[in-house]
Amino acid sequence: MTTNTNNPTIILIAGHWLGAWAWDEVVEHLTAAGRRAIPMTLPGLDATDPERASRTLDDQAAAIEQVAASEEHPVVIVAHSGANAPVSLVLDHHPELVRRVVWVDSGPAAPGSVFAPDRADELPLPPFEALAEQASLDGLSTHDLERFRARAVPEPGPVLRQPVELSNDARLQVPTTLVCCSIPSAQVRELADAGHPMFAEVANLQHLDLVDLPTGHWPMWSRPQDLAQVLAAAATSRVG
């Protein structure tokens, strides 16, 4: 299937512990709407990879860059949660490959940020009671949680320990959409304006749209059709 500038390829990247499978329902809706979507399993999150635990953040960014560069036109990259680290590197290395970046209940990583600098080993999916203290599980069914537990892959230690080194201000010029789920857009703006570390980079973005999609931290499961509609609209939205 060929694409054009009016129907760009959408690359879908889920956060920690997740692979391409996390987007199955969203891809169905995007495909039905005539959109080309490529869900990715990043290096380190393929359970069949014998070298999985040694994969790095650079490996993940390189894999995304390879897929983006293989497309005829600039792509739309959708980054959920912890996928913000490798995608921020991609924007820093090759902003010309990206037509728009969509952060799903996430945002661009700040220069020098690191998820877990003292983490010596990989990070498995924690108990849901602990996870719920860090991210909203609103909207997830028992089936969703069971599938999450069954298919989750531990996040590699090297990915967690590597700082996100950014130096190219052109990344801030890439048109950006923030899909605000567990934190409403008004609060995101307040946090960005206040210089909160999680949202400090948002205040520096030159072309920013915010979209509210109220639900928990995993909208690809709790509101897949609605999320697909938001992504399809963002993919073809114009700057200005």
Side-chain angles (χ1 to χ4, degrees), residues 63-81:
I64 299 168
E65 290 165 8
Q66 182 176 13
V67 173
S70 69
E71 295 297 309
E72 184 178 357
H73 301 288
V75 301
V76 173
I77 297 182
V78 178
H80 164 255
S81 190

Side-chain angles (χ1 to χ4, degrees), residues 157-174:
V159 170
L160 301 170
R161 295 192 302 269
Q162 182 177 336
V164 181
E165 300 295 349
L166 306 172
S167 60
N168 184 3
D169 286 347
R171 73 184 186 279
L172 304 173
Q173 297 287 340
V174 176

Side-chain angles (χ1 to χ4, degrees), residues 17-228:
W17 311 296
L18 303 175
W21 63 270
W23 298 101
D24 285 352
E25 293 174 85
V26 173
V27 169
E28 288 181 9
H29 291 297
L30 287 172
T31 301
R35 306 292 180 180
R36 172 171 161 78
I38 302 176
M40 289 188 65
T41 297
L42 295 180
L45 293 170
D46 179 355
T48 66
D49 177 7
E51 303 298 325
R52 182 191 61 71
S54 65
R55 303 306 183 192
T56 68
L57 202 54
D58 287 333
D59 293 333
Q60 294 186 343
I64 299 168
E65 290 165 8
Q66 182 176 13
V67 173
S70 69
E71 295 297 309
E72 184 178 357
H73 301 288
V75 301
V76 173
I77 297 182
V78 178
H80 164 255
S81 190
N84 69 332
V87 170
S88 291
L89 288 178
V90 172
L91 295 173
D92 193 71
H93 297 164
H94 292 289
E96 76 282 357
L97 295 177
V98 186
R99 170 186 173 125
R100 177 173 291 270
V101 60
V102 182
W103 306 105
V104 176
D105 218 37
S106 185
S113 60
V114 55
F115 187 82
D118 300 323
R119 188 84 195 186
D121 56 358
E122 61 186 14
L123 176 66
L125 178 66
F128 288 129
E129 294 79 5
L131 185 63
E133 296 177 359
Q134 307 170 34
S136 172
L137 301 177
D138 288 355
L140 300 187
S141 66
T142 299
H143 171 71
D144 292 330
L145 295 175
E146 289 175 346
R147 181 178 56 172
F148 195 179
R149 178 64 60 190
R151 302 198 65 173
V153 174
E155 198 72 22
V159 170
L160 301 170
R161 295 192 302 269
Q162 182 177 336
V164 181
E165 300 295 349
L166 306 172
S167 60
N168 184 3
D169 286 347
R171 73 184 186 279
L172 304 173
Q173 297 287 340
V174 176
T176 302
T177 299
L178 263 65
V179 182
C180 305
C181 301
S182 60
I183 302 177
S185 60
Q187 186 177 356
V188 169
R189 285 191 181 277
E190 291 176 0
L191 292 169
D193 292 341
H196 189 286
M198 285 184 61
F199 299 99
E201 280 286 273
V202 172
N204 298 323
L205 299 174
Q206 300 301 304
H207 308 287
L208 174 63
D209 297 323
L210 291 96
V211 178
D212 283 298
L213 185 66
T215 187
H217 188 59
W218 289 269
M220 65 278 281
W221 302 333
S222 60
R223 297 185 63 177
Q225 184 172 11
D226 293 331
L227 179 58

